[in-house]
Amino acid sequence: MTWTQQLVVFGAGIAAGGINTIVGSGTLITFPVLLALGYPPVTANVSNTIGMVPGGASGVWGYRRELAGQGARMLRLGSATLIGAVAGAVLLLTLPPGAFKAIVPVLIIAALVLVVVQPRLARWVKRRREQGGDTPEHGGPLLWPAVLGTGVYGGYFGAAQGVLLMGLLGVFVDEDIQRLNGVKNYLAMLANSASAAIFIVVAHVSWQVAGLIALGSIIGGQLGATVGRRLPPTVLRAVIVVVGTIAVVRLLAS
């Protein structure tokens, strides 16, 4: 890569790290950038997943106060995430590359829809709580398999995994939204870490890309946990939708 391309990837990593901490759609920034630079889709996804692990850890550290006292919940839901992420990573590596190119545009479109409807989902969750909806401490019997499903998605591709997790946690768990966001960051980091461990051993990785995204996402994770909460949500979602649409067009045209 040229110096300009390296700066672009590094900047995308910063943006993705911050967005992941706040919303959970950072891959919709980095993945299109890597496609535009000519990386094959599977290599781009694998390298991005590895690079986002330090950023996820940075976001979790930024939310450490909100995670206090949630150890049992994190352990319970973390087991579902780990199992699902391993399954998703295995699917990515065993299915033919053509399957990834066919499936991912659908997943990105679904992720973009989630990003757009997320405010409505948040309002619905808030109304449900105000009406005294039944939300057990650990989410009841349905939350664990639902988080398992998001883990499979996260291990395979993962764009907007955080939006899915926030929706599930908000519906099934009666807890402050910022504390749930901390759990979301933790579960997303687990999914990335589990799949990244597999990719490092058996997949083709662009370590230059992974390193640049890692450095950027660490910075972005801290920004997202502090300054990023003040960003206008509408602007943030608009950027995500634009770059996600570019990714879909790029994949369909290739």
Side-chain angles (χ1 to χ4, degrees), residues 42-130:
V42 173
T43 301
N45 185 44
V46 165
S47 305
N48 175 70
T49 297
I50 294 171
M52 291 307 299
V53 171
S58 177
V60 170
W61 176 254
Y63 268 81
R64 61 192 181 278
R65 290 192 301 270
E66 286 83 356
L67 289 172
Q70 299 196 79
R73 180 178 295 149
M74 293 162 64
L75 182 63
R76 178 186 177 91
L77 298 179
S79 64
T81 296
L82 284 174
I83 294 170
V86 169
V90 171
L91 284 174
L92 176 67
L93 296 174
T94 54
L95 292 176
F100 183 82
K101 289 183 66 176
I103 294 170
V104 166
V106 177
L107 296 180
I108 292 177
I109 291 171
L112 293 177
V113 171
L114 283 170
V115 170
V116 171
V117 304
Q118 194 269 341
R120 292 187 180 183
L121 178 62
R123 288 194 294 269
W124 180 81
V125 169
K126 182 178 179 181
R127 287 197 303 270
R128 187 172 184 271
R129 289 181 178 173
E130 290 172 347

Side-chain angles (χ1 to χ4, degrees), residues 2-3 15 24 30 56 66 90 106 118 124 187 205 207 210 213 216 233 238 244:
T2 66
W3 280 104
T30 47
E66 286 83 356
V90 171
V106 177
Q118 194 269 341
W124 180 81
L187 295 178
V205 181
W207 288 106
I213 290 177

Side-chain angles (χ1 to χ4, degrees), residues 151-170:
V152 174
Y153 174 73
Y156 188 82
F157 183 57
Q161 178 189 190
V163 177
L164 282 170
L165 285 169
M166 281 301 292
L168 290 171
L169 292 171

Side-chain angles (χ1 to χ4, degrees), residues 183-202:
V183 175
K184 176 266 291 181
N185 289 335
Y186 169 74
L187 295 178
M189 181 200 69
L190 276 185
N192 272 356
S193 299
S195 52
I198 295 173
F199 295 156
I200 287 172
V201 175
V202 299

